[in-house]
Amino acid sequence: MTISSALSNAMTGLRAAGRNSQTISANIANAMTPGYGVRSVALSSAQIGGVSIDGITRNVNPALLGDRGLAESAFNNASDRTNFLINYENALGTPDDPNSLSARIAEFETSLITATSRPDAPERLEGAVNSARDLASLITSASKNIQEARSEADRNIDFQVNQLNSALSGVKELNLQITKTLAVGGDTSALQDNRQALVDEISTIVSVRQIPRENGQIALYSTGGAILIDGGVAEIEFSAVNQVTPYMTQAGGMLSGLTINGYPVPTDSTRGALGGGSLGAQFEIRDELGVDAQTQLDAFARDLIERFQDPAVDPSLAIGDPGLFTDTGIAFDPLNEVGLSERLTVNAAVDERQGGEAWRLRDGINAVVQGDVGDSRLLQSLSTTLSTKRTPASGNFASGAFSAINLAATLTSQLGADRAQAEQSLTFSSTQLNELTQLVLAEGVDTDQELQRLLLVEQTYAANARMIEAADEMMQTILRL
């Protein structure tokens, strides 16, 4: 080996050591950076001697990253659904809650029994009216809670669609930049990191699969079959509303669905084109869970109103007259059940806050003057109708007849079962996401290993530096001859 070739080999070794040192430093500095792929320098023997730097290799496991993305989508979907059910259950109250639906019914029934024992006592009659008002207020509040959740879901859909379109445009732009960089022989690792971060962001919204394409590009397909990116990028559109009401549904045309490149796509939980992530969960809350919850609560409110507007319970009522509980002051109309729970009120005739008199609870809703203050027959009839078993005229309850408190227990138990199932699904998806995240981290930057590699690079650098020093000494010796 000539002195010049030795110098050349040592210089290539120094350059390789410098690039290795730079790469290792970047790995250590980005050990906690999301989406960062650990780098390594690809080296080979040069034909004329020494070491050739072939480029920077980004070491990632695409299959593992894809599984982690799907798990994150499932986790976000289950989390949003569970939160809705928990909030709704809290609005109705659990059986051990003194302010729950069942507790309010029991309190109302107790107040009627107390008033029956002393029908002449105004404070007992007023206590029964107050209990009825508290019951109606809880049902109304729960209904508003449902619509607020649906309205928030509609706003979240709008936000996530905009976020999704922005991220998809970013992936398309990075695809082009990666292709251009590869064409001139540049390093695309940083661009791929940025692209992976955007893909991870998309995965929180929509469940997607990533497919490699030529020239370093990728395609993204939703698990529901929608093409999001494959050369071109999909344009997703949605129109938000300010406030969702019980009457508003997507099936009725009052709420927006999704379009991809101008074509409507399904959004339901079973076959949604962009389901699986938080976006699918928001559609499910707005169009399925919220609608079902409202339907059940309206059916319960209907049962409560119909119990007390029966002339057989209160002889002062004619057919079609409102009873103790009303639909905003009027009798219940079977053709106007949607949103009934939000409109539930106590009859103004017995409510002092609305200008009524509590004694009508004893003498009849439509009584003009007070009757016998010792007559408790109507109060007994009101108390009895609460415990009377009747078959609900609407709603999705178990078959059979229910008393008012049994129907409330059925409503809350159904909700509790749905919430428990959702929490079980959330626990599974959370465990799966944690495990896959740990596997991704295990294949990421290992700072201990990187430091060990850095020590070897330092030794390599020192060896090549010593080679240059030896060559210099030989040249100096030759020049002195």
Side-chain angles (χ1 to χ4, degrees):
M1 177 184 294
T2 64
I3 295 177
S4 61
S5 62
L7 280 171
S8 177
N9 291 347
M11 290 299 296
T12 61
L14 286 177
R15 283 194 294 269
R19 179 63 68 88
N20 262 317
S21 177
Q22 181 184 15
T23 303
I24 292 171
S25 299
N27 286 341
I28 295 174
N30 290 279
M32 302 301 293
T33 301
Y36 181 82
V38 60
R39 275 84 150 146
S40 60
V41 180
L43 302 175
S44 63
S45 298
Q47 293 181 354
I48 59 174
V51 177
S52 175
I53 300 175
D54 297 330
I56 304 296
T57 302
R58 183 173 179 267
N59 303 301
V60 296
N61 186 334
L64 184 58
L65 289 175
D67 289 343
R68 197 271 306 272
L70 293 175
E72 189 165 10
S73 294
F75 171 77
N76 287 332
N77 184 281
S79 179
D80 290 347
R81 294 176 64 256
T82 302
N83 287 337
F84 168 80
L85 293 171
I86 289 175
N87 290 336
Y88 179 40
E89 187 177 38
N90 289 338
L92 288 181
T94 53
D96 57 342
D97 184 355
N99 293 315
S100 66
L101 179 61
S102 297
R104 291 284 175 89
I105 294 175
E107 181 184 352
F108 177 46
E109 186 173 12
T110 300
S111 68
L112 287 174
I113 295 173
T114 302
T116 301
S117 64
R118 283 288 308 277
D120 61 318
E123 66 278 4
R124 297 195 178 191
L125 296 175
E126 291 172 4
V129 173
N130 290 336
S131 295
R133 189 191 306 112
D134 290 342
L135 174 58
S137 296
L138 184 142
I139 295 172
T140 301
S141 176
S143 179
K144 291 179 179 178
N145 180 279
I146 294 171
Q147 298 313 313
E148 287 173 1
R150 294 183 68 207
S151 298
E152 183 179 1
D154 192 79
R155 291 190 292 270
N156 287 339
I157 292 170
D158 185 52
F159 174 78
Q160 291 180 16
V161 166
N162 291 331
Q163 185 180 11
L164 181 58
N165 281 324
S166 177
L168 290 173
S169 297
V171 172
K172 177 186 176 182
E173 181 63 28
L174 286 169
N175 270 346
L176 296 176
Q177 291 183 26
I178 288 171
T179 298
K180 292 177 181 178
T181 304
L182 286 174
V184 297
D187 179 17
T188 63
S189 297
L191 295 174
Q192 291 184 62
D193 286 345
N194 292 336
R195 187 176 65 185
Q196 185 60 50
L198 287 177
V199 172
D200 292 342
E201 180 182 334
I202 292 170
S203 294
T204 64
I205 302 172
V206 177
S207 183
V208 296
R209 293 192 181 278
Q210 178 176 323
I211 300 180
R213 291 289 189 246
E214 294 180 351
N215 302 316
Q217 298 197 11
I218 61 170
L220 292 178
Y221 288 76
S222 75
T223 54
I227 303 173
L228 300 180
I229 290 182
D230 198 354
V233 59
E235 181 66 26
I236 303 164
E237 294 181 335
F238 173 81
S239 298
V241 297
N242 292 327
Q243 183 68 37
V244 177
T245 66
Y247 298 97
M248 300 172 68
T249 63
Q250 184 181 351
M254 299 183 71
L255 293 176
S256 172
L258 285 179
T259 62
I260 299 180
N261 296 328
Y263 294 95
V265 295
T267 57
D268 57 276
S269 59
T270 56
R271 56 190 182 91
L274 298 180
S278 59
L279 182 62
Q282 297 305 316
F283 270 107
E284 187 173 358
I285 290 169
R286 192 195 69 172
D287 299 332
E288 298 176 41
L289 296 177
V291 172
D292 291 344
Q294 185 69 53
T295 298
Q296 290 294 87
L297 196 58
D298 288 343
F300 179 83
R302 173 180 181 174
D303 178 81
L304 186 64
I305 290 177
E306 289 181 332
R307 286 177 185 272
F308 291 93
Q309 74 176 24
D310 186 354
V313 176
D314 183 351
S316 73
L317 299 176
I319 295 177
D321 286 344
L324 177 60
F325 294 98
T326 73
D327 180 356
T328 322
I330 61 176
F332 167 69
D333 180 0
L335 299 179
N336 189 28
E337 183 174 340
V338 176
L340 176 64
S341 54
E342 191 172 343
R343 305 189 303 270
L344 182 66
T345 59
V346 172
N347 198 312
V350 301
D351 189 358
E352 292 184 352
R353 296 183 183 180
Q354 303 180 63
E357 298 288 348
W359 56 261
R360 289 194 176 90
L361 199 63
R362 177 194 64 215
D363 299 327
I365 296 296
N366 288 336
V368 178
V369 296
Q370 292 194 49
D372 182 1
V373 296
D375 188 354
S376 64
R377 287 176 298 175
L378 181 53
L379 291 171
Q380 290 175 346
S381 180
L382 295 176
S383 177
T384 300
T385 195
L386 271 177
S387 57
T388 299
K389 292 186 177 181
R390 61 193 305 273
T391 302
S394 58
N396 184 25
F397 299 98
S399 59
F402 302 87
S403 65
I405 198 165
N406 289 151
L407 190 62
T410 301
L411 176 64
T412 54
S413 65
Q414 287 176 343
L415 177 57
D418 291 342
R419 186 260 310 152
Q421 184 176 6
E423 286 184 336
Q424 184 177 9
S425 176
L426 177 61
T427 300
F428 173 79
S429 58
S430 176
T431 302
Q432 184 181 43
L433 176 60
N434 289 336
E435 290 297 324
L436 289 170
T437 300
Q438 291 303 317
L439 290 175
V440 170
L441 292 175
E443 292 196 355
V445 178
D446 184 339
T447 53
D448 291 338
Q449 185 178 9
E450 294 298 317
L451 289 173
Q452 292 175 12
R453 288 176 55 200
L454 188 59
L455 290 175
L456 294 176
V457 169
E458 289 177 354
Q459 294 175 8
T460 302
Y461 188 90
N464 284 284
R466 183 70 186 94
M467 174 68 74
I468 294 174
E469 184 181 356
D472 179 63
E473 291 175 354
M474 286 187 286
M475 291 293 294
Q476 293 297 331
T477 300
I478 293 173
L479 291 174
R480 285 194 299 267
L481 293 177

